[in-house]
Amino acid sequence: MDEDTTKERVTMDEITALAKRRGFIFQSSEIYGGIGGFYDYGPLGAALKRNVKDAWWRETVEIRDDVVPFDSSIIMHPDTWKASGHIDQFHDRMVDCKICKHRFRMDHLKSTEQCPDCGSKNSFTEPRNFNLMLRTFVGPMEDTASTAYLRPETAQGIFVNFKNIYQTARKRPPFGIAQIGKSFRNEITPGNLTFRVREFEQAELEYFVPDDGGDLEVFKAWVERRKMWYSKFGVKSERLRFYELTAEERPHYAKAGIDVEYLFPWGWGELESIAHRGTYDLDAHMHLSGKDLQFFDEANKKKYTPILIESSAGMDRTTLTMLIDAYEKERSTDPNGKETERVVLHFHPMIAPVQVAVFSLARNKPELVDRARGIEERLRGKFRTQYDEGNIGQLYRRQDEIGTPYCVTVDYDSLTDQTVTVRERDSMRQERISIDALAAYLRQNIDWP
Ligand code: ATP
């Protein structure tokens, strides 16, 4: 291309506006003024998030023979959270500014002297511990005996079921258990759209390995697999980093830990944590429940507690990352010197909410409309499709803005030569393809990496 193209980084205001305008993300219960830390996914957002979860599920569970799926309840026996340490230790320290009344997480403050919001000096209250678990009551009585918690992570459901799972799935370490599900945390300062929310989804893999000295190698292999995952689905490597936790930053029982971080418009933020957790979690549940969660190795007639490697990724943060990372505002000057701008989301075709848009060149021409609708119907079920009609330039712009990789246009020639124009989103290249060959052509270009 001989056009001058400049690219610039998106701001959170632009992402939030696009998310609302196109139906990716809405504030929860907006007509009542919203509720802090909760969001709803609109039609395109729901599809996008589902595709991100499918991409994780496929790579972590479906294409492997050593990982089994699991789905545990959100509310568990409260002793679960005693054993896991969440009741005693799942705190953030918070302070309030006495002047502007804003609340902050201590570990998010650069200095504890001056309020970053109103600038007042020494205006903070004494720090207080704040437990992040959301509480509810189970049954008709609202007392301490009926207190229960909405899970702050999905992993504990896996740990307490470890024996049920390996026995029924007939698995022996090394093997993994994977789950995607909702988690809840009463965050002190939710913010940055869906980055920090109070209700979110986690995709967690708990991989159990024998205590034969190979655990660190397995940890490294999972870090590599997760690196590959982000790269396969197009997250730019220069905006990703794998931060290695130091011994001081890791819990005492952990031999290694990596935070996967993305460079958001406001700075680096955690997407996922990959951790070597030793035998800590199974030990804790065995201790409090008095039940045996060890693995019995028939071959060696030996019982042992498997070592755990965990990968815990936030699906809302990953979906937001996909949206931000895919965003590009292209400004070009055409050969006549005219400035043009297009907003395009460069989603991987398997992540894109709509994969193929089919257009009729004109609105009021039944023969074109019928033909285009017929093509869209035949592609539906094979791909995520959308039918539209009207001004082709405007239709392309709309599909670029929601990240549709392929647009198919039915025009007058289509009626005689049985071909259509297929336009590719990123290169904007257009090709004539025969209608008979269309599905095969699209399948070649829209597939799992
Ligand atoms: P942070 O330090 O950002 O509060 P964390 O270290 O407490 O996160 P983990 O407990 O390691 O997070 O949870 C694993 C993953 O779950 C995180 O990497 C993140 O993607 C996701 N997650 C955790 N808390 C939230 C939240 N409040 N909103 C959205 N996603 C979250």
Side-chain angles (χ1 to χ4, degrees):
M1 258 199 293
D2 56 355
E3 289 176 340
D4 164 34
T5 307
T6 49
K7 297 166 181 175
E8 56 189 64
R9 192 83 206 266
V10 64
T11 65
M12 281 313 284
D13 283 348
E14 283 171 316
I15 282 290
T16 308
L18 174 90
K20 169 97 203 272
R21 187 172 70 246
R22 291 296 187 210
F24 283 98
I25 301 168
F26 306 130
Q27 196 180 20
S28 162
S29 15
E30 193 188 60
I31 62 165
Y32 292 107
I35 169 167
F38 297 89
Y39 283 93
D40 297 335
Y41 287 87
L44 291 178
L48 178 66
K49 187 173 167 190
R50 150 87 27 221
N51 303 337
V52 170
K53 290 192 288 182
D54 283 351
W56 186 91
W57 192 256
R58 180 182 157 81
E59 292 271 323
T60 314
V61 185
E62 287 179 352
I63 64 167
R64 304 187 63 87
D65 65 356
D66 60 345
V67 177
V68 294
F70 191 61
D71 187 355
S72 63
S73 62
I74 286 172
I75 292 179
M76 299 175 65
H77 192 290
D79 281 355
T80 309
W81 310 111
K82 240 187 242 170
S84 68
H86 282 88
I87 288 180
D88 292 335
Q89 290 154 27
F90 197 50
H91 295 121
D92 273 340
R93 313 244 310 147
M94 66 175 185
V95 289
D96 294 301
C97 170
K98 287 185 254 181
I99 309 300
C100 71
K101 309 288 181 212
H102 279 176
R103 180 161 288 174
F104 302 93
R105 243 173 83 169
M106 281 280 280
D107 61 333
H108 285 175
L109 287 173
K110 286 204 179 78
S111 139
T112 49
E113 306 229 305
Q114 186 163 355
C115 173
D117 274 9
C118 70
S120 304
K121 275 208 154 175
N122 301 320
S123 61
F124 289 132
T125 57
E126 283 300 307
R128 279 169 296 157
N129 277 342
F130 178 74
N131 192 293
L132 295 180
M133 281 200 293
L134 276 158
R135 241 175 300 180
T136 186
F137 301 99
V138 172
M141 306 297 282
E142 294 193 3
D143 55 21
T144 38
S146 63
T147 300
Y149 302 91
L150 304 191
R151 66 180 176 201
E153 60 178 37
T154 64
Q156 301 299 327
I158 293 179
F159 304 146
V160 301
N161 276 287
F162 176 65
K163 198 166 188 175
N164 283 338
I165 298 169
Y166 84 71
Q167 284 183 340
T168 53
R170 296 184 297 127
K171 289 286 179 200
R172 46 185 299 133
F175 83 99
I177 305 171
Q179 161 160 233
I180 298 182
K182 290 258 182 175
S183 293
F184 300 81
R185 296 183 189 180
N186 200 5
E187 296 281 355
I188 297 169
T189 44
N192 287 325
L193 203 58
T194 48
F195 179 80
R196 185 173 302 287
V197 278
R198 294 180 167 134
E199 172 178 343
F200 54 98
E201 267 184 283
Q202 290 182 311
E204 297 197 292
L205 165 78
E206 308 299 334
Y207 200 82
F208 298 91
V209 295
D211 59 351
D212 60 4
D215 45 321
L216 273 177
E217 286 313 307
V218 176
F219 172 81
K220 286 184 199 148
W222 273 106
V223 172
E224 286 311 308
R225 273 181 213 125
R226 295 299 301 143
K227 259 188 202 168
M228 279 286 286
W229 187 87
Y230 289 101
S231 124
K232 269 186 181 183
F233 290 99
V235 180
K236 292 179 188 64
S237 61
E238 66 272 21
R239 294 183 191 158
L240 262 189
R241 73 179 181 197
F242 289 72
Y243 174 77
E244 210 169 307
L245 301 181
T246 61
E248 291 74 45
E249 289 167 325
R250 298 194 300 260
H252 62 91
Y253 49 80
K255 266 203 232 167
I258 295 253
D259 281 351
V260 183
E261 297 180 334
Y262 179 75
L263 187 56
F264 287 96
W266 66 87
W268 293 98
E270 179 186 315
L271 293 183
E272 168 175 357
S273 105
I274 309 172
H276 179 301
R277 296 187 56 87
T279 59
Y280 180 82
D281 305 280
L282 290 178
D283 284 343
H285 287 298
M286 282 194 282
H287 183 71
L288 190 67
S289 69
K291 297 286 175 348
D292 180 11
L293 296 176
Q294 286 193 310
F295 181 78
F296 182 69
D297 184 353
E298 290 281 354
N300 302 320
K301 301 278 175 247
K302 194 186 127 198
K303 231 179 180 187
Y304 67 91
T305 310
I307 292 168
L308 176 65
I309 309 297
E310 174 182 82
S311 141
S312 173
M315 292 292 99
D316 304 82
R317 286 187 187 179
T318 309
T319 303
L320 181 63
T321 297
M322 293 287 183
L323 194 60
I324 291 172
D325 202 61
Y327 185 101
E328 193 180 340
K329 193 189 280 175
E330 287 178 1
R331 288 216 181 93
S332 5
T333 315
D334 70 17
N336 304 322
K338 195 171 155 246
E339 289 257 324
T340 56
E341 186 181 285
R342 77 162 182 155
V343 169
V344 52
L345 295 178
H346 297 284
F347 289 133
H348 184 282
M350 296 309 285
I351 297 290
V354 178
Q355 295 171 312
V356 185
V358 183
F359 308 142
S360 159
L361 186 65
R363 240 186 216 122
N364 308 318
K365 298 283 178 229
E367 61 277 34
L368 289 187
V369 169
D370 288 352
R371 199 68 217 265
R373 281 195 180 277
I375 291 173
E376 187 271 332
E377 247 174 60
R378 279 206 305 282
L379 294 175
R380 201 190 303 155
K382 295 191 181 78
F383 305 97
R384 293 184 288 275
T385 60
Q386 202 172 73
Y387 170 79
D388 213 339
E389 54 194 22
N391 176 307
I392 294 298
Q394 277 171 10
L395 295 176
Y396 281 160
R397 253 201 305 284
R398 188 175 304 153
Q399 295 296 333
D400 284 345
E401 214 189 20
I402 66 169
T404 305
Y406 292 94
C407 291
V408 173
T409 303
V410 174
D411 56 22
Y412 292 100
D413 288 343
S414 309
L415 302 178
T416 50
D417 68 4
Q418 310 303 324
T419 65
V420 284
T421 300
V422 179
R423 182 250 201 191
E424 198 270 330
R425 175 196 65 203
D426 297 345
S427 62
M428 295 188 272
R429 213 178 44 233
Q430 304 190 5
E431 268 184 83
R432 283 306 274 193
I433 305 272
S434 112
I435 294 170
D436 286 347
L438 184 61
Y441 171 88
L442 292 169
R443 177 51 69 217
Q444 254 180 14
N445 292 289
I446 304 175
D447 203 355
W448 290 107

